[in-house]
């Protein structure tokens, strides 16, 4: 057996691979440079062009570009009319923003458990957590896999709930052939550099509902209205605008929009390469019983953002932490997505307790994400597989 790097052996590779990385090429650089020397570097034509492009990509009628994915979730909660006293059901295996957005508007996040095989929110658990205060569901398309829209939509219809998708991981994913972004009431995207396409920082909300669209605009742009037809008071003149609601400055710049338009032109290329790598990993880990891989529902055509491996700790002599550190020493740097949101001190102080979502906690105890991004070469992918298998060999019972 080969000596693990953590015990003084030779690492599988010299340079560290991280779990995610953007892919910026010459076209992107050119697009940004052009935007920079235009008259309008924010609130200009590129934002509108980006929103049009996002509608094309997602099949949604409307898109509002915002400064980041967290702002997108905040705007969605505002547009949904969520407020004090309301409850919002989401998954604990997500980035904290999926729950924080409810807190931003004075509501209470309620954590439903995940499906132990798909790792997405379990529709039965959503239903079990509904009370007369429940106002919305924030369903997270975790790792990029679509949530079970048919079942979740049915539950939302039955109980009069608004369905918001946190699709920060899921641009490019389809559910039964329909792109994520045009399903449910509102869909939120993030364009942070680790996500599938990036604008540096950035986000967007898509919807098919004109009234939600109007509210999303207001929420993201100070609640200000300029269109003469939409004014409450009579116009004082050509300069006149009105602040009708309390909104925020969540605008995306034209510089960022230029980058994202250029990136979206490569979405298919990025998506295809991600799928290729996922297939290689699935194939490689099929005959490694110590490694459990995420189940994919047949309805989801997934552009995978994260590749999560779950350790079958009964078959290993190590803890997740030891496995993580050993893989890292091989220069394949894993990450854990995510610490269950309600473990965090902020939520603990609010009274959330460990034990709330047993499946989510079980997954958390054994999981880690391994590198997945389109710029990885075949040899990088092989190194990851070699390193994972080497560490498994080193620790298997
Ligand atoms: C990245 C992410 C967000 C937040 O997006 P930002 O653009 O970083 O604000 C929200 N939810 C999930 C699931 C994410 O991965």
């Amino acid at each position: 057996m080969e000596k693990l790097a953590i015990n003084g052996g030779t690492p599988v590779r010299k340079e560290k691979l991280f779990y995610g990385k953007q892919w910026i090429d010459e076209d992107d650089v050119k697009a940004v440079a052009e935007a920079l020397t235009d008259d309008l570097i924010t609130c200009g034509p590129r934002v509108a062009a980006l929103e049009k492009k996002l509608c094309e990509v997602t099949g949604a009628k409307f898109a509002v570009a915002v400064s980041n994915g967290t702002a997108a979730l905040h705007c969605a909660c505002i547009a949904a009319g969520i407020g004090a006293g309301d409850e919002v059901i989401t998954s604990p295996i997500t980035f904290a923003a999926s729950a924080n957005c409810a807190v931003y508007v004075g509501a209470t996040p309620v954590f439903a458990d995940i499906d132990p095989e798909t790792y997405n929110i379990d529709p039965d658990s959503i239903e079990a957590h509904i009370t007369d205060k429940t106002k919305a569901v924030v369903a997270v398309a975790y790792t990029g896999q679509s949530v079970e829209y048919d079942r979740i939509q049915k539950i939302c219809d039955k109980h009069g709930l608004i369905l918001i998708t946190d699709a920060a991981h899921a641009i490019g994913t389809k559910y039964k052939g329909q792109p994520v972004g045009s399903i449910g009431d509102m869909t939120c995207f993030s364009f942070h550099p680790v996500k599938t396409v990036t604008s540096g920082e950035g986000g967007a909300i898509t919807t098919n509902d004109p009234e939600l669209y109007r509210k999303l605009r207001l929420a993201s742009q100070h609640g200000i209205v300029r269109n003469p037809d939409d004014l409450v008071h009579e116009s004082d003149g050509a300069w006149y605008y009105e602040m009708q609601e309390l909104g925020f400055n969540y605008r995306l710049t034209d510089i960022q929009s230029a980058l994202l338009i250029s990136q979206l032109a490569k979405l298919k290329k990025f998506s295809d390469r991600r799928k290729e790598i996922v297939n290689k990993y699935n194939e490689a880990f099929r005959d490694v019983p110590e490694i459990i891989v995420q189940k994919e529902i047949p309805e989801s055509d997934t552009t995978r953002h994260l590749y999560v491996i779950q350790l079958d700790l009964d078959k290993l002599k190590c803890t997740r932490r030891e496995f993580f550190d050993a893989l890292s020493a091989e220069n394949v740097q894993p990450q854990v997505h995510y610490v269950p949101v309600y473990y965090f001190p902020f939520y603990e102080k609010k009274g959330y307790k460990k034990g709330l979502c047993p499946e989510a906690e079980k997954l958390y105890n054994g999981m880690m994400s391994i590198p997945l991004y389109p710029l990885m070469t075949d040899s990088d992918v092989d190194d990851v597989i070699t390193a994972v298998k080497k560490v498994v060999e080193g620790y298997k019972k």
Side-chain angles (χ1 to χ4, degrees):
M1 198 179 70
E2 241 191 303
K3 196 171 182 185
L4 296 180
I6 200 163
N7 297 329
T10 310
V12 166
R13 52 180 288 129
K14 283 208 179 72
E15 263 174 62
K16 228 174 223 271
L17 277 174
F18 292 90
Y19 82 88
K21 187 181 173 183
Q22 72 275 16
W23 183 348
I24 302 291
D25 67 13
E26 288 291 314
D27 290 344
D28 297 327
V29 173
K30 212 171 129 223
V32 171
E34 278 171 14
L36 259 175
T37 48
D38 264 5
D39 283 345
L40 296 171
I41 57 174
T42 193
C43 303
R46 285 183 173 84
V47 181
L50 168 65
E51 288 173 343
K52 187 161 167 274
K53 181 78 191 163
L54 285 168
C55 288
E56 281 167 30
V57 169
T58 61
K61 290 204 179 85
F62 308 102
V64 177
V66 292
S67 48
N68 55 66
T70 304
L73 287 161
H74 187 189
C75 289
C77 286
I78 295 169
I82 301 166
D86 293 332
E87 292 176 355
V88 176
I89 297 175
T90 192
S91 159
I93 300 294
T94 183
F95 184 61
S98 316
N100 294 351
C101 61
V103 182
Y104 290 161
V105 294
T108 303
V110 172
F111 296 98
D113 211 345
I114 56 158
D115 179 297
E117 292 188 310
T118 68
Y119 311 159
N120 264 332
I121 195 163
D122 176 357
D124 290 333
S125 185
I126 294 178
E127 189 134 44
H129 284 86
I130 291 173
T131 70
D132 52 9
K133 293 179 182 165
T134 311
K135 179 96 179 189
V137 173
V138 175
V140 183
Y142 175 66
T143 73
Q145 171 163 222
S146 169
V147 295
E148 292 184 64
Y149 273 116
D150 283 355
R151 290 180 64 200
I152 296 174
Q153 188 65 63
K154 212 182 246 173
I155 292 165
C156 287
D157 289 345
K158 185 171 149 198
H159 298 274
L161 310 180
I162 291 158
L163 176 53
I164 299 167
T165 308
D166 180 344
H169 298 178
I171 193 144
T173 291
K174 295 190 175 89
Y175 178 79
K176 291 186 165 178
Q178 190 180 348
V180 166
S182 54
I183 315 170
D185 294 297
M186 286 177 275
T187 306
C188 298
F189 295 97
S190 164
F191 307 117
H192 181 277
V194 295
K195 310 291 161 78
T196 296
V197 287
T198 187
S199 49
E201 293 278 357
I205 316 100
T206 56
T207 183
N208 290 325
D209 182 319
E211 185 55 17
L212 288 173
Y213 171 62
R214 190 185 69 80
K215 289 177 175 165
L216 289 165
R217 275 264 176 260
L218 284 175
S220 64
Q221 299 181 3
H222 306 280
I224 283 175
V225 168
R226 289 173 196 279
N227 184 356
D229 294 340
D230 299 332
L231 297 177
V232 172
H233 294 159
E234 190 136 343
S235 171
D236 282 348
W239 68 87
Y240 188 74
Y241 63 82
E242 253 173 23
M243 190 200 120
Q244 296 182 345
E245 301 285 342
L246 186 64
F248 296 81
N249 178 1
Y250 281 161
R251 291 185 305 249
L252 193 72
T253 65
D254 277 56
I255 308 163
Q256 293 166 305
S257 300
L259 176 54
L260 191 51
I261 292 168
S262 176
Q263 287 264 300
L264 282 168
K266 289 164 290 202
L267 177 58
K268 182 161 186 327
K269 177 170 110 177
F270 292 170
S271 174
D272 287 349
R273 179 62 182 153
R274 284 178 177 273
K275 285 178 187 177
E276 229 168 62
I277 300 171
V278 166
N279 287 336
K280 279 198 173 197
Y281 284 159
N282 285 344
E283 192 63 38
F285 301 137
R286 188 160 295 150
D287 53 1
V288 184
E290 294 80 7
I291 301 284
I292 302 161
V293 304
Q294 186 181 5
K295 181 185 161 190
E296 176 122 351
I297 56 168
E299 294 86 354
S300 181
D301 174 359
T302 305
T303 295
R304 195 80 77 86
H305 163 55
L306 295 173
Y307 194 93
V308 171
I309 58 172
Q310 191 189 351
L311 306 178
D312 188 339
L313 290 167
D314 293 337
K315 298 191 171 81
L316 294 161
K317 288 180 293 195
C318 63
T319 62
R320 184 261 304 269
R321 186 174 185 158
E322 284 164 333
F323 194 103
F324 183 103
D325 291 344
L327 195 54
S328 176
E330 302 296 337
N331 283 329
V332 169
Q333 183 61 54
Q335 179 52 285
V336 174
H337 300 94
Y338 296 90
V339 178
V341 174
Y342 58 81
Y343 279 18
F344 290 129
F346 174 80
Y347 284 99
E348 192 183 46
K349 271 185 279 175
K350 285 182 174 291
Y352 295 83
K353 294 205 163 50
K354 285 194 178 177
L356 266 183
C357 299
E359 296 296 351
E361 296 182 13
K362 181 163 174 274
L363 173 64
Y364 170 65
N365 289 340
M367 71 156 154
M368 66 194 69
S369 314
I370 57 175
L372 172 62
Y373 52 90
L375 253 186
M376 289 174 80
T377 63
D378 286 344
S379 129
D380 291 337
V381 176
D382 289 341
D383 285 348
V384 174
I385 293 167
T386 304
V388 169
K389 287 187 169 177
K390 183 180 169 188
V391 176
V392 167
E393 281 304 311
Y395 287 124
K396 80 180 193 191
K397 277 184 183 165

